[in-house]
Amino acid sequence: MEATVLDSWVLAEFETPDVLVDATRQMREKGFQGMDTYSPYPLHGGSEALGLPPSKVPFIALCGGLTGLTTALAMQTWMNTYDYPLNIGGRPLLSLPAWVPITFELSVLFAAFGIFFGLLGLSKLPQPYHPVFESDAFRTASTHGYWLSVPHATGQDASAVIDQLKALGATQVTVVTGEKE
Amino acid sequence: MAQTAATAPLDPLEPRDLVAPHHDDKSLNETLLDHVWRKPGKGWFMLFGLTLSALGLLVVGVTYTLARGIGVWGNNQPVGWAFDIINFVWWVGIGHAGTLISAILLLFQQKWRTSINRFAEAMTLFAVMCAGLFPLLHTGRPWFAFWLFPYPSTLGAWPQFRSPLVWDVFAISTYLTVSALFWFVGLIPDLAALRDSSKTKLQRTIYGLFALGWRGSGRHWHNYKIAYLLLAGLSTPLVVSVHTIVSFDFAVSLLPGWHATIFPPYFVAGAVFSGFAMVITLIVPARKYLGLRDVITDRHLENMNKVILATGLIVSYGYMMEHFVAWYSQNQYEMWTFYVNRATGPYAGVYWLMIACNVITPNIFWFKKCRTSIPIMWVASIAVNIGMWCERFIIIVTSLSQDFLPSSWGIYTPTWVDWCIYIGTLGLFGTLFLLFLKFVPAVAISEVKELQLELKHARHNSHGAH
């Protein structure tokens, strides 16, 4: 289960990706929930450290592909066999081999849409505003910084969390607050 | 290389000089983003002016065609298809290297693709856009192009799904869409990097809009990695299917020189061949101008030349098989096409140019000296591009101009409008490409960084084992 989204985060920067993954794992073992890592490229072992369940993208892609497949077959059969039959040299109206190219293309197209919109949907993108952007230092997350965010309840003292993060090797720690998602 | 047995189990094929080892994440950023933030130099503007003028020719050619009808083109009976389909197939073929580099090499875990995939994918997109123009204009009334799609029209008619031309419509539009999605998904993390290192508010806003709010979250990467891999997995059969379907346009007909079962694989190989050649043609000057030698190393160029050699041999085999089957069938029309018309007929010059460029040229890459020499590979890559264009010309024009009945033979000559549109698409391609080089990182930064880290780990492990 996801932890409820709170509106205050502790952001900590780490020196290297390996330290970050390590720190994430240890923080999770301590019972922190709803944490997130931020890095310019996927961290090796990052998903495991966060304890994420397997991605749903492949399932959505499969559904997309199957939708494309059935749409294409149904469309071609109905349009060329029943609704608008054209007799060309007496060739069969329902000619499955001729349906293959378009069926394949539409399956791929719908699967690709599934992947793309699935990715956006699961990641809740586009999301032009997010509280982490409030921190100027956080801008390194997309270039050369490795960050960890730990949510904590508003008004609660964050110093305990900060101390623990520093003990795990955080080079700088900031606290951001923002609107509720 | 003084590689010991300790490093061998890692991967004997793993090249060690993919990224100059002195780089860390920060300096990679600076190197790879530099050309976006830097003001373009004189060279860029001169090239841009050149491609814009060529683009002007496209406007002239297309406007004239739309105003007067496609009668202003050189094609007529018996050559009903000429420049438009030649250029269409040629451009689609060029596009294929992009997807191949991105997708197939990703699936095969060829690490060297990382530095060139962004480049090649951009090439795919722009090439497919150029390709799409030709069938569109060939319809004569492109404003009715939507008739090709199945939509509930008041005419009560549906497209004929048993026709390869309708297959083409679906293949090309799917290919363009999926390539664009693949390219964009790959770009998102780099757009975020651009957003976060931008200097002005305007830049930050624009790149921010395109980055969709990407913040490199572990939860996002978790879905992203698998999504990117799946898109690559989908693109791989897609690439093969698109050129196969394009070749069906010819292969399902009965014309001598077209009616061949070798067409689908032979077209796919030809596409990869010309596509890789185009990548070399573009990347050699671009990496110099953009200062990307640290990530696009000589090793990359050499690997690409090996692919050109391999696909060039497949293409040569395709030619051999066409000739062999023509002889083996003992069909007089086939024999005429291959042994008389193509080799000695009115277009013999183009035929022999094709043989020189496509069969002989790639063989120079057997020699390491040629594979690694920048001037030689650049000239060879241009020769391959010309050769592949000649191949399309030969397939289409020789077969149509002299088929079964000598009384209905005819000669095709392109008009100035044909040339305007062809050169114009080169201009369109060049313009889009220069804009791409200006506004978007030409190398997939996040992937290069990831690779850099992996290489560091590998190096570390191999040292540790000593």
Side-chain angles (χ1 to χ4, degrees):
Chain A
M1 274 302 288
E2 295 264 313
T4 0
V5 179
L6 301 168
D7 42 7
S8 186
W9 283 266
V10 181
L11 284 175
E13 190 180 16
F14 291 86
E15 193 81 52
T16 69
D18 299 334
V19 180
L20 170 58
V21 171
D22 219 36
T24 311
R25 211 193 53 244
Q26 292 192 37
M27 287 296 277
R28 195 166 64 88
E29 279 162 7
K30 284 181 189 169
F32 286 96
Q33 286 197 331
M35 291 189 303
D36 206 346
T37 55
Y38 303 89
S39 54
Y41 45 85
L43 297 164
H44 290 231
S47 308
E48 293 78 8
L50 283 170
L52 299 177
S55 172
K56 288 193 195 76
V57 170
F59 177 71
I60 300 173
L62 178 70
C63 294
L66 291 177
T67 313
L69 184 99
T70 38
T71 309
L73 282 178
M75 173 183 85
Q76 295 177 91
T77 306
W78 179 68
M79 286 178 184
N80 274 185
T81 313
Y82 299 104
D83 200 49
Y84 195 72
L86 280 176
N87 184 343
I88 293 159
R91 287 182 179 77
L93 289 174
L94 179 64
S95 122
L96 280 176
W99 294 175
V100 168
I102 290 179
T103 309
F104 173 79
E105 297 297 331
L106 279 192
S107 312
V108 168
L109 184 68
F110 280 49
F113 279 137
I115 295 169
F116 182 67
F117 292 108
L119 170 66
L120 292 190
L122 292 172
S123 309
K124 300 199 185 75
L125 293 173
Q127 190 179 10
Y129 175 76
H130 189 274
V132 290
F133 291 133
E134 295 288 324
S135 160
D136 253 350
F138 179 76
R139 281 167 73 167
T140 59
S142 59
T143 54
H144 57 274
Y146 310 94
W147 292 79
L148 177 66
S149 75
V150 184
H152 74 105
T154 322
Q156 205 184 335
D157 186 23
S159 56
V161 184
I162 293 174
D163 289 342
Q164 294 190 50
L165 285 167
K166 280 197 170 147
L168 288 170
T171 47
Q172 61 166 320
V173 182
T174 53
V175 180
V176 292
T177 49
E179 297 153 352
K180 266 205 166 104
E181 273 189 85
Chain B
M1 288 268 266
Q3 300 277 320
T4 55
T7 58
L10 263 180
D11 182 0
L13 293 173
E14 179 102 48
R16 290 303 156 97
D17 50 354
L18 289 175
V19 184
H22 57 82
H23 279 298
D24 58 16
D25 286 350
K26 207 168 175 182
S27 72
L28 272 176
N29 262 337
E30 279 156 12
T31 319
L32 299 178
L33 285 177
D34 177 54
H35 71 89
V36 180
W37 301 132
R38 197 173 23 158
K39 265 211 166 72
K42 252 199 201 121
W44 188 89
F45 278 110
M46 271 166 60
L47 273 178
F48 196 61
L50 191 76
T51 57
L52 269 190
S53 340
L55 185 59
L57 288 181
L58 181 69
V59 176
V60 171
V62 171
T63 314
Y64 193 69
T65 305
L66 293 187
R68 301 285 303 272
I70 54 169
V72 298
W73 294 356
N75 42 352
N76 206 332
Q77 294 307 333
V79 185
W81 267 2
F83 254 46
D84 39 354
I85 198 91
I86 296 170
N87 296 331
F88 164 70
V89 181
W90 187 69
W91 274 121
V92 175
I94 285 175
H96 279 31
T99 323
L100 190 97
I101 288 176
S102 304
I104 300 184
L105 298 184
L106 177 72
L107 291 180
F108 287 166
Q109 305 210 358
Q110 291 294 306
K111 307 284 184 207
W112 59 277
R113 78 180 258 292
T114 306
S115 301
I116 47 174
N117 66 341
R118 170 73 43 75
F119 212 86
E121 282 163 40
M123 199 184 80
T124 297
L125 274 186
F126 306 149
V128 176
M129 283 180 196
C130 292
L133 268 180
F134 289 98
L136 204 62
L137 288 172
H138 189 121
T139 59
R141 290 184 288 170
W143 49 94
F144 288 132
F146 60 90
W147 283 5
L148 290 164
F149 288 97
Y151 73 103
S153 102
T154 48
L155 301 171
W158 294 116
Q160 168 57 278
F161 291 113
R162 284 172 292 181
S163 154
L165 292 179
V166 177
W167 302 349
D168 256 2
V169 172
F170 279 81
I172 299 298
S173 48
T174 299
Y175 188 45
L176 185 65
T177 315
V178 175
S179 306
L181 288 180
F182 192 43
W183 189 62
F184 181 64
V185 168
L187 254 177
I188 292 174
D190 288 357
L191 287 168
L194 278 171
R195 173 196 64 203
D196 291 340
S197 52
S198 51
K199 314 270 185 302
T200 68
K201 181 134 199 210
L202 182 71
Q203 289 168 344
R204 192 169 158 76
T205 314
I206 292 173
Y207 284 121
L209 272 178
F210 284 107
L212 306 177
W214 182 265
R215 49 190 183 274
S217 147
R219 287 155 199 276
H220 293 178
W221 281 123
H222 180 60
N223 292 318
Y224 180 93
K225 275 188 295 185
I226 187 85
Y228 196 62
L229 196 68
L230 282 175
L231 275 177
L234 279 180
S235 305
T236 307
L238 187 63
V239 135
V240 176
S241 82
V242 169
H243 231 60
T244 301
I245 291 174
V246 168
S247 83
F248 284 164
D249 293 349
F250 305 98
V252 299
S253 78
L254 294 172
L255 216 56
W258 287 7
H259 190 47
T261 47
I262 189 116
F263 261 40
Y266 151 64
F267 263 52
V268 172
V272 176
F273 183 50
S274 62
F276 268 80
M278 190 58 119
V279 177
I280 292 272
T281 311
L282 294 173
I283 220 163
V284 164
R287 77 172 191 147
K288 187 171 176 190
Y289 168 70
L290 300 174
L292 297 177
R293 282 199 191 152
D294 287 351
V295 286
I296 302 170
T297 60
D298 292 349
R299 181 72 180 247
H300 289 101
L301 301 179
E302 195 189 339
N303 279 354
M304 280 191 272
N305 290 332
K306 285 179 186 167
V307 177
I308 290 177
L309 172 61
T311 45
L313 291 175
I314 303 177
V315 169
S316 310
Y317 173 80
Y319 297 160
M320 266 167 51
M321 272 303 118
E322 280 188 310
H323 286 78
F324 169 75
V325 170
W327 167 78
Y328 191 66
S329 70
Q330 287 294 306
N331 175 309
Q332 56 173 326
Y333 303 107
E334 292 275 340
M335 298 269 277
W336 165 266
T337 296
F338 283 99
Y339 292 102
V340 183
N341 187 20
R342 286 194 182 172
T344 63
Y347 305 105
V350 185
Y351 176 80
W352 291 109
L353 183 61
M354 166 188 103
I355 297 289
C357 291
N358 287 356
V359 180
I360 299 169
T361 310
N363 283 296
I364 62 166
F365 290 137
W366 285 109
F367 305 101
K368 192 170 173 87
K369 203 171 225 169
C370 298
R371 279 205 306 270
T372 46
S373 152
I374 304 277
I376 293 179
M377 72 172 83
W378 199 63
V379 172
S381 73
I382 291 173
V384 168
N385 281 316
I386 295 172
M388 284 308 292
W389 191 86
C390 293
E391 182 197 300
R392 296 1 176 159
F393 184 92
I394 286 295
I395 290 175
I396 289 152
V397 177
T398 55
S399 287
L400 282 170
S401 71
Q402 306 192 357
D403 50 14
F404 300 102
L405 198 61
S407 65
S408 57
W409 287 358
I411 286 294
Y412 164 77
T413 5
T415 63
W416 66 269
V417 187
D418 282 316
W419 285 112
C420 267
I421 295 180
Y422 175 47
I423 298 170
T425 50
L426 289 171
L428 173 66
F429 181 78
T431 308
L432 290 171
F433 208 82
L434 285 168
L435 289 175
F436 155 74
L437 289 183
K438 175 65 201 80
F439 289 109
V440 175
V443 171
I445 306 175
S446 66
E447 288 182 45
V448 170
K449 285 183 204 154
E450 194 185 352
L451 173 66
Q452 172 83 335
L453 184 75
E454 278 175 23
L455 291 177
K456 256 184 200 152
H457 278 214
R459 231 175 271 129
H460 182 75
N461 290 344
S462 68
H463 285 309
H466 280 290

